[in-house]
Amino acid sequence: MHGPLVARPQLAGAGADDLRHRLHPEGHMHEQGLLLDGIPNFRDVGGCRSRDGRRLRRGRIFRAPLMNHLAAQDLQRLQAAGLGMVCDLRGVDERARAPQAWLQGLDLHDAHVDVNNHHLRAATEAIVELIVAEPDAAKMLALMQHNYRRMPEAFHGRCGAVVDYLLSGPPRPLMIHCAAGKDRTGFLVAMLLLALDVEEPAIYDDYLLSSSAASVAAMWEHGKTLLSKALNREPDPLLIRLVCGVQREYLAAAIDQLCVDYGSVDVYLEQAFGLTAERRRLLQQRLLE
């Protein structure tokens, strides 16, 4: 079991020069599983090592962004993977604007887990307002951390169907996604890895893969458009990178907040996800090898 994880120092006061070298994280990238040519932020989470030396099985949990423009070969690969559940973390309005056409005709459960509730909506609105008033890299980093601190409550009590599927459903893969596949998806994947007692460095290594050059490039135009509309001018490329990628401090802020609010990761996982010690043991038994 995990004791309280300690978040890394906050960098809200750091300047742009202190941040630039952090935007392309380096780490030990675990052996890759299924890859999609046209979706750089899609990946198999398998391979992460737990504290007792076991590893998460390949082909059990995938993470992804919205995938509405799949190439034919990528669709065939997904179909061959035999997905059993797709967990969509987007809000109702997001799903209405961009339905998942590729899911049609597939024999799987489309689980809508709407975490775009008032916790995250309020944080997003605050980010937009404050970044317009003070558009610099340090402020953007602090605002993204603010958004992540709202995630533990946004997810509280909403992922029971996903946990039940992993515990009792057929051994078919789960895919978790949101719009970009990095923030909401990153938080939920991190919580599942914590429940599996995966080592902290491996959790951050997986999370930071969403800041690979290819993943950031795929999001670049979208991030640039959003910031341009908010600022009413051309945004600094550094701001775009901070929006399009992830930083260790983002996830650390969420873990720090849940430890403050609940006392420990163990208590949060039990109260927010229904993952008691026994259910976590069963989850580890099913997913680790």
Side-chain angles (χ1 to χ4, degrees):
M1 294 295 186
H2 290 273
L5 294 185
V6 178
R8 295 297 179 265
Q10 306 293 315
L11 297 184
D17 291 341
D18 301 316
L19 298 173
R20 291 187 188 278
H21 71 284
R22 307 171 60 90
L23 295 176
H24 297 289
E26 297 179 0
H28 299 290
M29 185 172 175
H30 50 64
E31 182 181 352
Q32 293 178 328
L34 174 65
L35 297 175
L36 301 181
D37 293 335
I39 313 291
N41 202 25
F42 174 94
R43 59 185 175 273
D44 186 340
V45 185
C48 295
R49 186 184 296 276
S50 69
R51 293 173 187 270
D52 64 7
R54 291 180 291 173
R55 291 183 182 271
L56 173 58
R57 290 186 174 96
R58 289 287 180 196
R60 299 305 300 272
I61 300 177
F62 299 104
R63 53 177 296 173
L66 178 65
M67 300 191 298
N68 265 353
H69 302 287
L70 281 172
Q73 67 270 21
D74 285 341
L75 180 57
Q76 291 172 359
R77 289 167 183 160
L78 275 179
Q79 292 171 336
L83 295 175
M85 173 182 278
V86 172
C87 171
D88 187 347
L89 299 173
R90 296 176 300 155
V92 174
D93 55 340
E94 292 176 282
R95 282 168 59 95
R97 288 194 303 268
Q100 296 267 60
W102 67 272
L103 290 176
Q104 296 178 8
L106 297 184
D107 179 23
L108 53 75
H109 179 44
D110 181 12
H112 182 207
V113 181
D114 185 0
V115 295
N116 195 32
N117 50 39
H118 70 279
H119 295 286
L120 291 187
R121 283 199 301 269
T124 301
E125 291 168 2
I127 286 174
V128 172
E129 292 177 4
L130 292 175
I131 199 62
V132 169
E134 195 173 346
D136 63 64
K139 179 62 69 175
M140 177 64 80
L141 180 60
L143 291 172
M144 290 299 294
Q145 289 174 292
H146 170 74
N147 191 37
Y148 268 74
R149 290 189 190 101
R150 306 296 291 267
M151 285 197 185
E153 284 307 304
F155 276 82
H156 191 288
R158 294 177 180 267
C159 296
V162 174
V163 171
D164 289 345
Y165 176 79
L166 290 173
L167 284 170
S168 59
R172 295 171 60 195
L174 164 71
M175 189 182 85
I176 301 168
H177 82 91
C178 52
K182 64 186 186 72
D183 299 315
R184 289 168 288 187
T185 296
F187 178 81
L188 178 53
V189 169
M191 294 304 103
L192 292 176
L193 293 179
L194 285 169
L196 292 171
D197 210 27
V198 168
E199 295 174 328
E200 183 181 351
I203 294 174
Y204 279 101
D205 279 352
D206 173 76
Y207 173 74
L208 290 171
L209 288 176
S210 291
S211 267
S212 70
S215 294
V216 170
M219 283 288 297
W220 190 269
E221 287 304 318
H222 177 66
K224 180 179 178 180
T225 298
L226 287 178
L227 285 172
S228 296
K229 287 182 178 179
L231 300 174
N232 199 28
R233 62 179 178 276
E234 187 83 2
D236 182 339
L238 181 56
L239 297 184
I240 303 175
R241 286 192 186 279
L242 288 170
V243 169
C244 292
V246 293
Q247 296 292 304
R248 183 185 182 93
E249 288 76 22
Y250 299 172
L251 180 58
I255 294 174
D256 179 66
Q257 190 63 51
L258 70 85
C259 287
V260 169
D261 293 342
Y262 293 86
S264 71
V265 169
D266 293 340
V267 173
Y268 176 74
L269 289 174
E270 180 169 352
Q271 294 187 8
F273 285 78
L275 281 165
T276 61
E278 176 61 18
R279 280 163 66 86
R280 286 177 65 177
R281 186 190 67 78
L282 291 174
L283 190 69
Q284 292 164 15
Q285 181 178 317
R286 287 181 64 88
L287 296 181
L288 300 178
E289 60 183 7

